[in-house]
Amino acid sequence: MNKKEIHSDYKKKIDKFKEYNKAYFEDSNPKVSDKNYDDLKKKILELEKNYKFLESKDSPSNVIGHKPSKNFSKSLHKVPMLSLGNAFSKEDLVNFEKKISNFLSLRKNVEIYYSTEPKIDGISASLTYKKGKFYKGLSRGDGKEGEDITENLATINDIPKIILSNDFPNEIDIRGEVFIQNSDFTNLREKFANPRNAASGSLRQKDPKDTKKIPLKFIAYTFGYEKGLLVNNQFEYLKKLSEWGFKTNPLNKLISGVSNLIKNYNEVEKKRSNLDFDIDGIVYKVNDFSMQKRLGNVANAPRWAIAHKFSSNKAISKILDIEIQIGRTGALTPVAKIKPINIGGVIVSNATLHNEDEINRKDIRVGDTAVIERAGDVIPHILSVDIKKRIKNSSRFIFPKNCPSCGSKTIKEFNKVTKKIDAVRRCSSKDYYCDKISIEKLKHFVSKEAFNIDGFGKKIVEGFWKKKLIKFPHDIFKLEYNKIEKLEGWGKLSVENLKYSINQKKQISLERFIYSLGIRHIGLENAKLLSKHFISFSNFKNLSQSNKYDDLINLDGIGETQINSIKIFFSNYLNIKILDELEKVLTVNNVTVTKSNGILKNKSFLVTGKLNGISRAEVKSLIEENSGTTVSSVTNKLNYLIIGDKPTKRKVESAKQLKIKIIDQAEFLKMLNKTS
Ligand code: IVH
């Protein structure tokens, strides 16, 4: 067989493997016997071994330890399993604390205490106990729904099966990390790339007996749903966990003040290499549960916790070339192509150079010998270059003044908020007039948090674009499937699957829809705010005619930067056309305002002036939690004007004229049966 034939044979096998996986894992309808499945897997792995040029993200070599090896049933987490935001520097920690303090409107001298817990790099699990008995164990899954791996978890010695303590809650989800100690991993090195993969792989064994063979450990650190938990802070909870028989991390501490957090961070980092388990940072959690509750979550991470990541692994390699990538918002990002090198178990061949200023500041040149750093899941970057090792006739890198894709001028914008010129240079083309921007926008459109079209990944977007099958988002819903079927790597079945995934996504929430448009500065949170404001697709689209941009300033979280960006979006005729076309092929669901029967049902509020000990953001979320609404101006629709310190006179006057109830902070809190 020549190279082409080998490729094609390999591709066919991978497609088959994917098809079998889908049938087994997603449709619960296996197409072949276990033996045939295993044989195919073996053949693919053999091909890869013999022909090093073969690779595929769908290869069994890439899914080892990730894909469930049996069809575990799925189960919803009663309380979602959140993820954590990251901090890398002192500055990030100062900001984290500042945000908390602002949200809670704390006085300057109030110290916030944190439970600090080394972050073990394993697999999180949620263990439900009912009446003291281990009842069910779930993997994290997507945070909302996990796999039922009860039997496998039950093989772990560190997981108590019966807890008799009187103060153990009637029902509770105990959450923590399943991991393998480094000393135990030594024997598994052949089979798995790292301890984390080994833990994940063995947790998902078909037969719990196989899980039992691998010495998994469990450390507990938080909880989900609970009924009858009698503690009011995290550190006390950790203490209770060990009284109840769970292992907790011996390096957990209670600390206040950013400088003390950093002192502890440095101390733990020094101990890191001597520990028998991998940690990749320290988790800080606001200790007090009532504060945690008030702070709540942003997107899928709590406001009250953050992971302070350890700085990474470093390595030295050579810069072979500097390429310019163009992002969805037109940002030109320089990327160093480096001589491939293993950094902490991962082969790195690309490193980001961030932006033009960074290249100039560090005088990074093609041919340089550089220190490359890889921290956590973040894209590796160039830390510094060794000038002594520089080749003689190297020259400074000149950043392109024209977009390498469409040739338009590249510009650096003036940021009105920071009053500085942006470090990032951008293509000045409007969205879909630059090919590269278009491709990136399409990738965003189909991505997980947007339309989430199964099997429509980045590679497929690029492939379809090249074949001129898609140019604009609506093209995705009008694909010529008969043409795709004839393309290399596609067949009847894979096209059917694609068609099915696309058709399934023809109904979408307004929130996801707005997010998917990829408007600059409109991320998930802002898309949610906008969707709640507009309620329907047509209201959103009409913005270009109604021009009611100024109303948006009243949405907490939307500022001038975002409004400007939305204006720019609607000023592009092509975007309106795309909205029109999408309207024809999609059903965008209206936002249903779930007016539950809270205490403030049918009551609207407006705050004016500074409140004491509580921020506007918190008042707003309190009102919404209790089914009330907040409005942005005094009209006869307003029920209550809450006044704080130095209220706007005009608002108070109009409220008086309209005979609207004017209340102060204490009266407002009383309505919620709270005291200030
Ligand atoms: S708390 C509510 N505590 O980190 C916050 N997580 O990025 C989420 N992790 O999925 C969990 N050690 O796998 C928490 N002491 C600790 C942790 C910890 C490790 C992992 C966990 C989670 C991920 C969040």
Side-chain angles (χ1 to χ4, degrees), residues 80-86 116-125 140 175-178 196 219-223 234 238 249 252 280-285 297 300-302 304-307 309:
M81 287 182 85
L82 301 175
S83 57
L84 290 169
N86 289 332
T116 72
E117 307 164 15
K119 184 168 180 293
I120 296 188
D121 196 11
I123 303 295
S124 51
R140 179 173 187 275
R175 292 177 176 172
E177 207 79 358
V178 177
R196 192 173 185 277
I219 269 190
Y221 50 66
T222 190
F223 57 88
Q234 169 69 6
L238 290 172
N249 200 310
N252 291 341
D280 59 357
I282 304 184
V283 181
Y284 303 142
K285 299 174 185 167
N297 310 324
N300 63 347
W304 45 266
I306 202 160
K309 290 292 192 86

Side-chain angles (χ1 to χ4, degrees), residues 2 14 35 235 280 286 344 383 464 553 600 605 610 670:
N2 64 27
I14 290 277
K35 169 145 188 356
F235 216 64
D280 59 357
V286 169
L383 259 191
F464 285 3
I553 199 80
L600 304 181
F605 295 83
K610 195 180 173 315
K670 222 165 141 191

